[in-house]
Every structure is written in structure tokens, then in C-alpha cells.
Amino acid sequence: MPDALDATPYDALLLLSFGGPEGPDDVVPFLENVTRGRGIPKERLKEVGRHYFLFGGVSPINDQNRALLDALRKDFADHDLDLPVYWGNRNWAPYLTDTLRGMVRDGRRRILVLATSAYASYSGCRQYRENLADSLAALHAEGLDLPKIDKLRHYFNHPGFVEPMVEGVLQSLASLPEEVRDGAHLAFTTHSIPLSAADTSGPVEEHGDGGAYVRQHLDVAGLIADAVRERTGVDHPWQLVYQSRSGAPHIPWLEPDICDHLEERHAAGVPAVVMAPIGFVSDHMEVLYDLDTEAKAKAEELGLAVRRSATVGADPRFAAAIRDLVRERAAAERGQEVTRCALGALGASHDLCPVGCCPARAPRPAAAGADSPYA
């Protein structure tokens, strides 16, 4: 295929992530960025930030993004894909607006965005698009010529995202004592979100109980469980569970919580559980605290054997998947016929988020979608 590694019309890829503090003095300012507009007192933010202080005030997410940047740049170079890769965050340095300003000054005119969230939801997709719109508005106010920005499609069911997680579950099962291994259950975990946000995730036609957010996670969990059964000959029961709930207690969020699930599995006589954080691209704070600290403490209290499988992180297969998504989107923009790579029953996600997809409670401009004010 002569055009297989042609990124035209794009001239840059932007890795867009959440960001995190890199020292104790950063924790409260970081949380102020995350919660801006909600009127949360500083003392409350210090309490919320206790998870970060347990780890020296450092979130691992920034180093993990640096590792992913290195993996992407290496993969692109190894395959002669001439596409520079930049990095910007929503809530901490390097800030998105600063990165976009630098890209404009570097002459970048067509930018593809890779968000470190694989699934459809307001917080995992549209909020990133709103942040992009905010940054473009700031650059416009500075008198800069605005680039055209597109966002890569959701990659939850791309083989390069799924296969490393399959391998992680297999390795976790193999590390369990032999006497409990075959009886282990699989708990596929993701970030809990409000039911209202889940129900309206994805395009309008997919809105309903759990929306696209739950359906996409269930599809991935089923893919991994099926692959594990095929490779081990053992059918491990599994369930999609949730973690990292925040916000007002009277607002219903997706359940069950992972710790409640471990208690229920233990009461049912299950000898072991493998926790697989399929909703997260890397081992950032929610994984380190909610699973490696809190959930493992609960399991120890119960006397339940648990293992936590790895996230995708900077796995070379994931970097190769991003290269494939870049190639796919670039070819589509050039008007070529494209074969889209996707596993499971849901097929490849849309390139362009349609109107009404993952709506916000209060409407705000969002870039890189059908409703973008920046064509």
C-alpha cells in the first residue's frame, strides 16, 4: 500500500491527557484546576488530595505520558511515519493552550488529537473537546491563525489496546497459587461516573441504560474473558465493576464498587479475584490508590487472594495501534476507502462526534465534532 504510512493532510499528533501534580506543592493547585468553578474550599481539597500525598504528592500519569510519547515517536520513526508528536494536559503542565500555541508557532496547520481515554463519555471525550475549544478561543483572542483539529476515534476495541490487557490478565492468573487459580473470578474495573452521564454517553441513538460507556466496557470485558478462556481452557466468571467514585453521595453513580464486589465474591466462596483495570490507559493515581492500595487492603482483610493486571501504558502494541489509527484517519480525510480495525460486536467508532453525543449539563462549545464552532 503506497499510502500506508502517509499522514497527509495532518502535520502533527497531539497527545492530550488529564495531567497530575509532580510534587507536594502542586497537589492543591492541581485540584483547584480540576474543580474550578465548583466552589470547593481549599481545606476540602487538601483532604481530597490525601491520595497524592501518600505518594509524595506525585501523580505517575506525567511520567507515563512521557513513556507513551517515547513509544509513539519510536514507532513512528521505525515505520517512516513523518509526524511530530506533542503533549498537552487539561489540568497541569504542559498545559493544552501552551502546547497548541507552540504548535501554531511551529507552523502546524492540521492536528490530530489522541486523548488518553478509550471510551465514550462526557468526561472521557466531550470534556476534552471542550478544552480544545477553550484553547482555540484563547489563541484566537491572541490573534493567532487557528489550526484545524480532529480527534482520533475511540480505540477501546482496537486489537493493539485489547491484546496487552489479555496478556496482563493471563500473567495475573499465572501468578496466583495453583490451588486457587482455576477458581479465580475476573473483575473488570473502570471509573464510575454518574448514571445520568452514563445514560447519555455516545451518539443520541445509543442513549439509554448505561449508554455507550457501559456497552463499550462490557464488549471489551467479554473479548478479554473469551481470549482468556481460549488460551487457558478455563472459563473464569467475570463482571464489570467500578471504582474511583467522587461527588455528592445523593447522586447515583455506576455500581458495584470494586471493594463491595470483593466482599460479595468472598461471601460467595470465590477463592481469588483478578482485578483488570480496562477503563484506564495507564497505571495512574486511580489505579495505584483505588486498586493497589484500597482494594488490596480490603482483600487482605477478607483473606481473599487478589492480583491486579497491568494497563496498556506504553506497550509497543498500543503505539502501533495509534499509528494504525493515524493512517486510517488520514486516508479517510484524503477520500480513500478505509478498512477499520476493531474487535467485538460494536465495530469501529465514529470519526466525528455527532451532535448530541455525550452532552454536557450546561452546553459549551466543543472542537473536533459535528457541532464544532471551529471548522
Side-chain angles (χ1 to χ4, degrees):
M1 292 179 61
D3 296 323
L5 298 179
D6 183 4
T8 309
Y10 297 107
D11 53 21
L13 177 70
L14 168 62
L15 176 65
L16 176 55
S17 193
F18 193 81
E22 300 205 76
D25 292 342
D26 296 343
V27 172
V28 171
F30 163 74
L31 292 173
E32 288 174 333
N33 288 342
V34 174
T35 62
R36 180 164 285 116
R38 301 183 204 172
I40 299 176
K42 183 170 288 190
E43 289 308 310
R44 173 61 181 152
L45 293 179
K46 290 179 181 177
E47 181 182 343
V48 172
R50 70 187 187 282
H51 300 174
Y52 292 98
F53 292 121
L54 288 174
F55 295 88
V58 178
S59 169
I61 194 170
N62 286 333
D63 279 345
Q64 290 162 7
N65 281 326
R66 293 182 183 103
L68 180 55
L69 283 169
D70 289 343
L72 290 170
R73 288 165 177 158
K74 181 180 187 306
D75 180 272
F76 289 5
D78 288 348
H79 293 86
D80 296 322
L81 179 60
D82 184 17
L83 192 69
V85 187
Y86 293 75
W87 171 34
N89 289 325
R90 285 169 47 179
N91 299 299
W92 202 249
Y95 288 103
L96 172 59
T97 301
D98 295 336
T99 298
L100 276 178
R101 184 184 297 110
M103 296 176 80
V104 169
R105 289 173 175 167
D106 287 346
R108 309 304 174 191
R109 306 304 306 151
R110 289 293 303 272
I111 298 171
L112 261 178
V113 173
L114 164 64
T116 54
S117 176
Y119 301 86
S121 70
Y122 170 74
S123 57
C125 184
R126 186 176 177 88
Q127 192 171 15
Y128 282 101
R129 293 175 49 227
E130 291 176 350
N131 297 142
L132 285 165
D134 291 342
S135 293
L136 289 172
L139 298 187
H140 178 71
E142 295 172 12
L144 297 176
D145 291 333
L146 300 185
K148 186 178 187 308
I149 293 179
D150 292 321
K151 179 178 174 292
L152 288 173
R153 66 175 172 90
H154 301 302
Y155 46 83
F156 63 92
N157 55 2
H158 194 287
F161 186 68
V162 175
E163 180 56 33
M165 294 190 291
V166 171
E167 187 175 287
V169 171
L170 290 170
Q171 291 175 349
S172 292
L173 285 168
S175 72
L176 284 167
E178 188 174 356
E179 63 271 18
V180 301
R181 188 178 304 149
D182 287 353
H185 285 212
L186 309 179
F188 295 105
T189 77
T190 190
H191 208 301
S192 184
I193 61 175
L195 291 184
S196 59
D199 292 346
T200 56
S201 59
V204 172
E205 62 271 17
E206 296 184 28
H207 292 180
D209 291 345
Y213 186 75
V214 171
R215 279 194 288 278
Q216 290 171 1
H217 281 87
L218 286 172
D219 200 50
V220 172
L223 285 167
I224 297 172
D226 288 347
V228 169
R229 183 181 63 253
E230 291 169 4
R231 299 182 200 185
T232 64
V234 179
D235 191 3
H236 293 275
W238 63 270
Q239 186 171 341
L240 178 64
V241 301
Y242 303 92
Q243 60 175 93
S244 313
R245 182 200 158 115
S246 61
H250 68 279
I251 297 175
W253 284 50
L254 290 168
E255 296 178 337
D257 177 76
I258 178 61
C259 289
D260 295 336
H261 179 70
L262 294 179
E263 287 188 337
E264 190 273 333
R265 293 294 81 201
H266 175 68
V270 172
V273 173
V274 169
M275 303 180 294
I278 63 171
F280 304 91
V281 170
S282 63
D283 289 4
H284 51 64
M285 187 56 69
E286 282 88 348
V287 175
L288 290 188
Y289 183 80
D290 296 320
L291 295 184
D292 291 356
T293 304
E294 199 170 49
K296 285 187 176 180
K298 171 58 70 175
E300 185 174 350
E301 172 192 318
L302 297 169
L304 177 66
V306 296
R307 297 292 187 272
R308 196 269 290 174
S309 67
T311 52
V312 172
D315 190 289
R317 289 166 292 188
F318 182 46
I322 301 308
R323 168 171 39 90
D324 181 60
L325 292 173
V326 169
R327 176 201 59 78
E328 169 196 293
R329 183 61 183 272
E333 288 294 307
R334 296 194 301 268
Q336 296 175 325
E337 189 173 336
V338 176
T339 300
R340 300 175 185 274
C341 195
L343 301 175
L346 299 181
S349 185
H350 48 258
D351 278 341
L352 194 67
C353 292
V355 175
C357 195
C358 304
R361 284 174 294 179
R364 290 179 55 199
D371 56 355
S372 172
Y374 302 100

